[in-house]
């Protein structure tokens, strides 16, 4: 079996194992994919470590020691859990790993099992070469992680907190990256994810009078107070927060000079953002903090005036923001209501980013150049979170890295995330495997 067929067979097996993570401790069952990967690596000579914080919630690492202790290590982080599905909304069987007209369908096919399979295949090849007398200079580790889809508490976060020395976090690659931008003059550009926005979840509380529903007169309503707060939050437009990453993204599109200047300077109107086309939403997310209203609750009995109501907010903040600056943004949105609305901090994940420079960056850029020699390479912030943030917190750098065919644009790839009939083109499966083989060869040999 050639290496591409081997990689595709592994990917289909990972999909069929149904490692669905619904956010509860008893879900995931990543042990199935961990066992599949351990079987796949059998006889390769790779060193194996398993991590199991709860029964069935297994992460597994495969390391190929380097010949030079001073050489840079490389760690590939791939998650092996997937999000739930609404099976009645799918045309293709979600865990059948069907191939139709050169496209592989299945939950996790894009997020991120096609990358996980490519990482495993590339590292197994390195392990076999090491057995044959050609070890890498730097240690290479592939880590298949549980629980990424629920924040990593039973996966990357748990390992970082309980076994930080298990493998190197210095240079990490994970999801996504490698899609193209629809450049206006017909030239090409590829993206690499260099960071991710912070997740700051907040709950706003409003208090009021209580009493029987038949006597509402002169009662101060917690619901009306919270409704006013919700309206202000919903209509609030966070100011643009630009940096050099945003400027590089804008300039990659080759818009007319006036549009480019307005976007880079933070003086753009809605019409200027619409020039991004299908990427308008992504561009706004890239350049602004966002506040989503995600839950509202008050009262338990229909005939009782509730004395308390609350509103949930999911806030995504750009690098540079902190918990305090996010709370200040909420107070600015609330205006004169800020003294009467309580802000409760739920969970938060600070933003993280890595530099678009250095040896690993250059290895990725050179690898892309092998396949798309005319393409520029543009750093972007990921639309969602990934396990790379744990590597960055451990003092390392981390990038989202894969590779898609020309014409597979960033907006299209983002739309597939967690979608019905999630899929990946076989061409992109092969390109991503080739890219991982190439970047490993450039960086650790």
């Amino acid at each position: 079996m050639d290496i591409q067929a081997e990689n595709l067979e592994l990917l289909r097996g990972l999909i069929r194992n149904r490692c669905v993570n619904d956010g509860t401790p008893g879900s995931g069952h990543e042990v199935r994919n961990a066992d599949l990967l351990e079987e796949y690596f059998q006889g390769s000579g790779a060193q194996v470590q398993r991590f199991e914080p709860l029964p069935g919630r297994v992460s597994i690492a495969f390391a190929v020691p380097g010949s030079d202790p001073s050489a840079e290590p490389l760690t590939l982080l791939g998650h092996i859990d997937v999000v739930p599905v609404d099976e009645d909304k799918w045309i293709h069987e979600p865990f059948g790993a069907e191939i139709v007209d050169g496209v592989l369908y299945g939950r996790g096919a894009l997020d991120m099992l096609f990358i996980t399979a490519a990482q495993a295949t590339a590292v197994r090849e390195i392990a076999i070469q090491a057995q044959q007398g050609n070890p890498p200079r730097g240690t290479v580790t592939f880590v298949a992680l549980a629980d990424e889809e629920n924040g990593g508490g039973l996966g990357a976060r748990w390992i970082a907190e309980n076994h930080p020395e298990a493998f190197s976090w210095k240079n990490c690659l994970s999801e996504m990256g490698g899609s193209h931008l629809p450049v206006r003059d017909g030239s090409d550009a590829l993206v690499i994810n260099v960071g991710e926005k912070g997740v700051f979840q907040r709950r706003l509380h409003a208090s009021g009078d209580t009493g029987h529903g038949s006597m509402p007169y002169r009662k101060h309503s917690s619901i009306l107070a919270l409704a006013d707060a919700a309206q202000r939050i919903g209509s609030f437009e966070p100011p643009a927060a630009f940096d050099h990453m945003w400027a590089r993204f804008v300039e990659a599109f080759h818009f007319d000079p006036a549009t480019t200047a307005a976007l880079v300077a933070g003086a753009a109107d809605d019409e200027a953002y619409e020039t991004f086309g299908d990427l308008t939403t992504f561009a706004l997310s890239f350049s602004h903090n966002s506040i989503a209203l995600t839950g509202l609750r008050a009262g338990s009995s229909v005939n009782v005036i509730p004395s308390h109501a609350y509103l949930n907010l999911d806030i995504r903040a750009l690098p540079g923001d902190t918990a305090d600056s996010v709370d200040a943004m909420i107070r600015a949105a609330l205006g004169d209501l800020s003294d009467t609305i309580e802000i409760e901090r739920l969970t938060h994940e600070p933003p993280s980013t890595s530099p678009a420079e250095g040896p690993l960056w250059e290895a990725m850029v050179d690898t892309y150049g092998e396949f798309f020699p005319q393409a520029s390479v543009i750093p972007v912030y990921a639309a969602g979170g990934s396990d790379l943030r744990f590597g960055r917190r451990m003092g390392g750098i981390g990038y989202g890295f894969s590779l898609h065919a020309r014409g597979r644009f960033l907006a299209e790839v983002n739309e597939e995330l967690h979608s019905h009939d999630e899929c990946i083109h076989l061409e992109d499966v092969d390109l991503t495997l080739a890219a991982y083989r190439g970047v490993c060869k450039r960086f650790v040999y």
Side-chain angles (χ1 to χ4, degrees):
M1 184 184 300
D2 66 40
I3 196 166
Q4 289 181 332
E6 178 185 303
N7 179 62
L8 179 58
E9 182 180 343
L10 176 62
L11 170 56
R12 298 180 81 184
L14 293 170
I15 293 170
R16 288 167 175 157
N17 274 338
R18 287 180 173 257
C19 295
V20 175
N21 184 354
D22 65 11
T24 60
S27 68
H29 307 291
E30 295 92 345
V31 62
R32 295 195 284 258
N33 275 340
D35 288 348
L36 174 62
L37 288 163
E38 188 161 14
E39 180 182 354
Y40 176 66
F41 272 86
Q42 190 170 3
S44 69
Q47 299 176 355
V48 184
Q49 295 181 83
R50 290 172 71 104
F51 311 89
E52 191 170 9
L54 289 178
R57 307 307 303 269
V58 178
S59 299
I60 189 166
F62 304 89
V64 184
S67 61
D68 182 354
S70 66
E72 289 290 313
L74 180 62
T75 302
L76 310 181
L77 303 174
H79 70 76
I80 50 177
D81 62 324
V82 301
V83 296
V85 299
D86 296 321
E87 296 206 28
D88 61 334
K89 302 289 180 64
W90 283 60
I91 297 172
H92 301 275
E93 205 287 305
F95 302 99
E98 296 176 58
I99 297 175
V100 180
D101 296 330
V103 178
L104 172 64
Y105 292 87
R107 173 58 85 217
L110 183 81
D111 183 15
M112 64 171 283
L113 296 179
F114 86 106
I115 301 175
T116 301
Q119 293 173 336
T121 304
V123 173
R124 182 178 179 273
E125 181 181 40
I126 292 170
I128 291 172
Q129 290 173 351
Q131 275 191 323
Q132 296 169 349
N134 183 30
R137 290 183 61 250
T139 296
V140 182
T141 308
F142 161 61
V143 191
L145 291 158
D147 203 35
E148 190 276 344
E149 295 292 3
N150 191 44
L154 298 173
R157 186 195 302 273
W158 187 87
I159 295 171
E161 292 175 352
N162 294 277
H163 298 282
E165 75 299 330
F167 48 82
S168 173
W169 299 88
K170 188 176 181 181
N171 302 293
C172 298
L173 298 179
S174 189
E175 57 184 344
M176 297 290 286
S179 53
H180 298 254
L181 297 179
V183 184
R184 292 310 169 94
D185 63 5
S187 59
D188 193 15
L190 284 156
V191 301
I192 292 177
N193 292 349
V194 300
E196 52 200 67
K197 296 170 77 173
V199 181
F200 296 87
Q201 296 172 333
R202 296 291 186 264
R203 179 170 290 166
L204 305 188
H205 297 269
S207 298
D209 299 325
T210 190
H212 198 281
S214 64
M215 294 180 287
Y217 303 104
R218 297 181 181 175
K219 300 288 187 183
H220 174 67
S221 170
S222 63
I223 293 177
L224 286 177
L226 194 64
D228 191 359
Q231 179 62 40
R232 296 190 188 195
I233 293 289
S235 61
F236 179 70
E237 296 184 3
F242 301 107
D243 60 15
H244 66 286
M245 300 291 188
W246 167 251
R248 289 179 65 171
F249 178 73
V250 173
E251 291 163 358
F253 284 84
H254 299 169
F255 296 134
D256 65 84
T259 299
T260 297
L263 287 164
V264 168
D269 56 15
D270 290 346
E271 184 177 350
Y273 276 96
E274 291 296 334
T275 60
F276 286 105
D278 290 342
L279 280 173
T280 296
T281 298
F282 179 82
L284 285 164
S285 177
F286 196 157
S287 56
H288 293 73
N289 292 344
S290 62
I291 308 176
L293 285 65
T294 57
L296 180 66
R297 182 165 183 177
S300 58
S301 179
V302 71
N303 66 343
V304 177
I305 298 170
S307 62
H308 172 250
Y310 70 77
L311 171 69
N312 290 338
L313 305 178
D314 183 18
I315 300 171
R316 304 300 170 110
L318 290 161
D321 269 295
T322 65
D324 289 340
S325 68
V326 166
D327 288 351
M329 179 178 67
I330 296 171
R331 286 192 289 271
L334 291 172
D336 59 7
L337 288 180
S338 61
D339 290 337
T340 60
I341 299 294
E342 176 192 349
I343 301 174
E344 179 188 359
R345 294 181 177 182
L346 301 178
T347 60
H348 71 272
E349 298 278 359
S352 67
T353 187
S354 298
E357 60 183 13
L360 184 52
W361 175 265
E362 294 302 327
M364 292 187 292
V365 170
D366 290 347
T367 299
Y368 282 167
E370 179 183 343
F371 301 94
F372 300 99
Q374 304 303 317
S376 57
V377 179
I378 307 300
V380 298
Y381 298 136
S386 77
D387 286 329
L388 288 169
R389 68 187 182 277
F390 301 110
R392 296 188 188 112
R393 291 177 197 171
M394 298 289 285
I397 57 174
Y399 302 98
F401 182 77
S402 63
L403 188 57
H404 297 266
R406 179 85 187 263
R408 215 89 73 217
F409 294 128
L410 177 59
E412 175 188 346
V413 173
N414 284 345
E415 282 296 314
E416 283 297 322
L417 296 169
H418 299 182
S419 68
H420 305 315
D421 287 305
E422 181 182 348
C423 65
I424 184 73
H425 290 259
L426 296 185
E427 185 178 13
D428 297 345
V429 173
D430 292 343
L431 279 170
T432 295
L433 172 60
Y436 267 98
R437 295 173 75 192
V439 78
C440 288
K441 182 181 294 185
R442 285 179 171 87
F443 192 71
V444 297
Y445 279 96

